[in-house]
Amino acid sequence: MIGRALRGAVVLLAGFVLVSGCGSDRPAELSVDEVKPCELIPQSDHQRLRIAVEPQSLDTVSGVGTEGRTCAYTTNTGNSVYVSTITNHGIDRWTSGEFEHSKFKELSRIQGFRAIKVWQVPGGSGPDSKCKIYIDVAGGQSLRVQVGMTSDEEDPPTCDTARRFAETAMKTLVADRG
């Protein structure tokens, strides 16, 4: 009897190790198929994020072969911030080495989800020098926050701005799905 229970426990443990080793380390699958990016930044956060004008909803996402939706924001420092739900590729597009002239850096997780910063190395094609943060929200999907450069000395570095928008968007996404 004890031997049978022990064998059952070993099989269960081995199955768990196999599943966790092959699966994602996301805390949940947060599909963004039907998500409207302009709803990810609540009106109550506009002042804190220094949003100057009403956001603009776009039914496209910039980038070759990229599908999804975008919300464009303008801050009172003149920065353009784009929050995009990407429905046809995850962050593995950038971490796999597919784009030899693009680099990525692991960032601290956002709401428990893996986040990376992506940029283009000189002379290459791919993401430009603006800050782009990608968050691994679901298999084959990601949330991207992109911030353009600004010359305003009062504006924090663009990746700080991108991080604040990404954290706010993910907080909303997790709360809506949880």
Side-chain angles (χ1 to χ4, degrees):
M1 178 94 170
I2 291 175
R4 186 180 305 162
L6 189 56
R7 279 192 304 268
V10 168
V11 168
L12 250 155
L13 182 59
F16 174 74
V17 169
L18 284 173
V19 168
S20 63
C22 296
S24 165
D25 61 351
R26 281 179 226 101
E29 286 281 315
L30 301 177
S31 173
V32 292
D33 285 328
E34 301 301 321
V35 172
K36 297 176 182 171
C38 287
E39 294 178 2
L40 292 175
I41 307 294
Q43 184 72 34
S44 58
D45 287 311
H46 283 205
Q47 183 176 0
R48 179 180 61 83
L49 294 172
R50 303 171 78 179
I51 296 171
V53 297
E54 199 62 31
Q56 180 183 2
S57 181
L58 308 170
D59 287 333
T60 61
V61 177
S62 66
V64 175
T66 303
E67 298 172 5
R69 297 179 182 161
T70 298
C71 189
Y73 297 89
T74 302
T75 66
N76 59 17
T77 59
N79 243 339
S80 296
V81 181
Y82 304 94
V83 177
S84 301
T85 54
I86 299 175
T87 58
N88 67 327
H89 64 78
I91 67 171
D92 56 328
R93 181 181 201 191
W94 304 109
T95 61
S96 69
E98 178 181 340
F99 297 99
E100 66 182 65
H101 295 291
S102 294
K103 298 291 182 187
F104 78 94
K105 175 184 175 186
E106 293 283 341
L107 302 175
S108 59
R109 289 178 174 260
I110 298 176
Q111 294 285 318
F113 291 81
R114 185 175 175 203
I116 61 172
K117 174 186 171 185
V118 177
W119 69 96
Q120 176 185 334
V121 295
S125 61
D128 52 28
S129 61
K130 299 171 188 163
C131 187
K132 292 183 181 181
I133 294 177
Y134 288 81
I135 302 138
D136 182 33
V137 295
Q141 296 188 341
S142 55
L143 180 74
R144 178 180 74 197
V145 177
Q146 175 180 332
V147 179
M149 298 295 189
T150 182
S151 59
D152 188 327
E153 292 178 18
E154 292 182 25
D155 189 40
T158 57
C159 280
D160 290 348
T161 300
R163 179 77 187 201
R164 285 195 320 273
F165 272 79
E167 288 171 348
T168 302
M170 283 301 294
K171 183 177 178 183
T172 303
L173 187 60
V174 167
D176 287 351
R177 303 298 165 107

